[in-house]
Structure formats: structure tokens, C-alpha cells
Amino acid sequence: MQPNHFIFADLSTYDPNKSMEFYASIFNWKFKNEYDYQTAYLGNQPVIGLYETPEKFKQLKMPHFWMSYIQVNDVEKTVSLARTLGGIIELEQELDYFGKVALIRDPLGAGFTVYEGNYLMNTRTKAKENTLVWNELHVSDAKKVLPFYQGIFNWQLHKISNDTYHIFDDKERHIADILEVPNFYKGKYEYWVCTFGVRSLSKVKQQVLDQGGTIIHTEDHRVLVSDDSGEAFFYLKEV
């Protein structure tokens, strides 16, 4: 267990079967239904989760999206700190077999899930093909959320350029980034973005297109894409 680290991600989708077909083709994942929740495996190792968007959120036209999970020692304490620091608690729940979770939005609205328990494994790797390898926050005004994240996770935030902050844990390990991105480029929402490692960026980019996905933005070492829903976006990075 690594408290205050990113450990997992899952996808909320209107059409699980269609989404599973897309991601299986891209990442060679095999899905297994566990407690009405689809877990993707790479060989024998779990990688990510996938579930059908609840009907009430479909009615609200909530988009398909990837959610980042952060391990914590105490969900109740984290929720209390988040409220004090201007966060919004969308959900707080305890499941017998799973553990405790809470969906929190930071003061600008970017959502993430905190998790307390031993059921959910840490599936983020440093550089393994077809796994979650990185998480970063895209936000319009970083200064408005820095005290929030420092306060609830004890993160150290170092500004390295006009628009980029590195996030370090209490042992000075670089674990994530914050990117300040104008709404002109990212849209009106604030969000945490998942990055998945791939062996060949050019090959997987073509697979995304072949499976109905979209190339949103290409950078020197990675590419931002959306899946075939046109809404759930993520980075691909060559590892």
C-alpha cells in the first residue's frame, strides 16, 4: 500500500460491451466480470476497471470518462479535510468486500476517487506496456487548487515552468504532474488524465483510429486520444 499515491483507474461507459471491445483491441486486455464490475487483466494481472454509467447519470448526459484512484489511510479523514479546503464530496461509500471509497471534486471541479482498503491492488507501473503509467491534472488556474492537494495528501508541489508543477510525495518521489491549460484548448472542465504505456506509439495510434477512436493532440513523446465514444480521453506514451 502506498498512501496518497495513484494506484488505479476505471472507465465509466454507456456501453460496456462496445468499450471492452475497443480497449481489448488496443491494449490486449481480457475482461472478467467481478461483482457486476468489469476488471481488465493483462495476463494474470489486473490492470483497470470498467462499468456501465448509472442510469441517473445518463439522464444528466454525463460523458464517458476515466477516473483516477488515490490510495489513502483514512477515507473519512480525507473527506473531512477536502470539505474544509473547499472540495465537494460527490459520493462516500463502504462495500463489505471492497473497502471505502469517496468521489471528491477539487475547488475547480476536477474529480478523483480516494480508496481505503486491501481489495484494490496498485496496478500503476513505471513503464510497463498496456498499463496505467501516469496521472496528471489539467486545470485552468493551478494556484486555486494547490493548497487543496497539499492539505489533503501532504503533497509537495514544485513549479518547474510557467504552466507545469511536479507533484512529490512525502519521500520526495515524483508521482504526478499538474498542467495549467487555458480553457481554449482543454474546454471548460478541469480533470485528471490517465496515461497508458505502449510499445509502439505509431502502431497504437493507428489501432485507435481503426477502432473508431480519435487523435486529439500529438506531442513529442505522447499523444492524447479518445476512445470510440468520442468522450473518454487518455494519453498514450511509448515505454
Side-chain angles (χ1 to χ4, degrees), residues 211-224:
Q211 295 299 321
T214 305
I215 307 300
I216 299 174
H217 180 65
T218 299
E219 301 177 15
D220 290 340
H221 62 293
R222 63 180 187 173
V223 59
L224 183 65

Side-chain angles (χ1 to χ4, degrees), residues 108-111 137-141 183 186 188-192:
L108 287 179
L137 175 64
H138 288 192
V139 65
S140 56
D141 189 346
N183 288 349
K186 73 172 183 57
K188 64 180 181 179
Y189 298 107
E190 323 284 331
Y191 37 74
W192 283 95

Side-chain angles (χ1 to χ4, degrees), residues 28-230:
N28 197 32
W29 293 340
K30 307 294 183 184
F31 289 88
K32 181 179 179 182
N33 190 314
E34 301 171 333
Y35 302 102
D36 295 323
Y37 180 87
Q38 300 290 342
T39 301
Y41 284 80
L42 190 61
N44 295 322
Q45 297 299 314
V47 183
I48 59 91
L50 182 152
Y51 65 95
E52 184 170 359
T53 305
E55 188 61 36
K56 64 179 180 180
F57 295 123
K58 291 181 181 180
Q59 296 301 321
L60 293 171
K61 300 187 184 301
M62 181 177 288
H64 303 235
F65 65 90
W66 278 99
M67 173 64 70
S68 296
Y69 282 64
I70 302 170
Q71 179 94 45
V72 295
N73 284 326
D74 188 330
V75 162
E76 186 176 344
K77 179 180 178 181
T78 305
V79 164
S80 178
L81 285 170
R83 284 199 178 102
T84 300
L85 292 165
I88 298 171
I89 312 306
E90 296 282 0
L91 170 74
E92 187 175 0
Q93 186 176 29
E94 182 174 3
L95 300 173
D96 290 340
Y97 68 91
F98 185 74
K100 296 180 181 179
V101 294
L103 171 56
I104 300 173
R105 295 194 180 278
D106 70 22
L108 287 179
F112 56 91
T113 295
V114 294
Y115 172 72
E116 174 191 345
N118 297 315
Y119 179 85
L120 191 61
M121 297 177 63
N122 178 10
T123 64
R124 197 177 95 159
T125 72
K126 292 184 177 180
K128 184 177 179 181
E129 181 183 8
N130 298 335
T131 69
L132 176 69
V133 298
W134 197 245
N135 303 78
E136 65 187 43
L137 175 64
H138 288 192
V139 65
S140 56
D141 189 346
K143 291 184 179 63
K144 291 183 178 180
V145 297
L146 299 184
F148 174 83
Y149 287 108
Q150 288 172 316
I152 65 172
F153 295 127
N154 196 29
W155 286 344
Q156 305 303 311
L157 302 159
H158 298 175
K159 188 172 185 178
I160 64 163
S161 69
N162 287 335
D163 58 5
T164 304
Y165 293 78
H166 284 345
I167 298 174
F168 293 86
D169 68 6
D170 59 359
K171 294 181 174 59
E172 299 185 356
R173 292 174 294 195
H174 182 202
I175 61 170
D177 288 327
I178 297 176
L179 272 65
E180 199 167 74
V181 183
N183 288 349
F184 176 80
Y185 295 105
K186 73 172 183 57
K188 64 180 181 179
Y189 298 107
E190 323 284 331
Y191 37 74
W192 283 95
V193 188
C194 297
T195 297
F196 297 98
V198 296
R199 181 68 56 83
S200 169
L201 197 54
S202 60
K203 178 181 178 181
V204 179
K205 282 171 61 177
Q206 187 58 51
Q207 288 177 321
V208 167
L209 294 173
D210 291 344
Q211 295 299 321
T214 305
I215 307 300
I216 299 174
H217 180 65
T218 299
E219 301 177 15
D220 290 340
H221 62 293
R222 63 180 187 173
V223 59
L224 183 65
V225 305
S226 70
D227 65 17
D228 54 349
S229 73

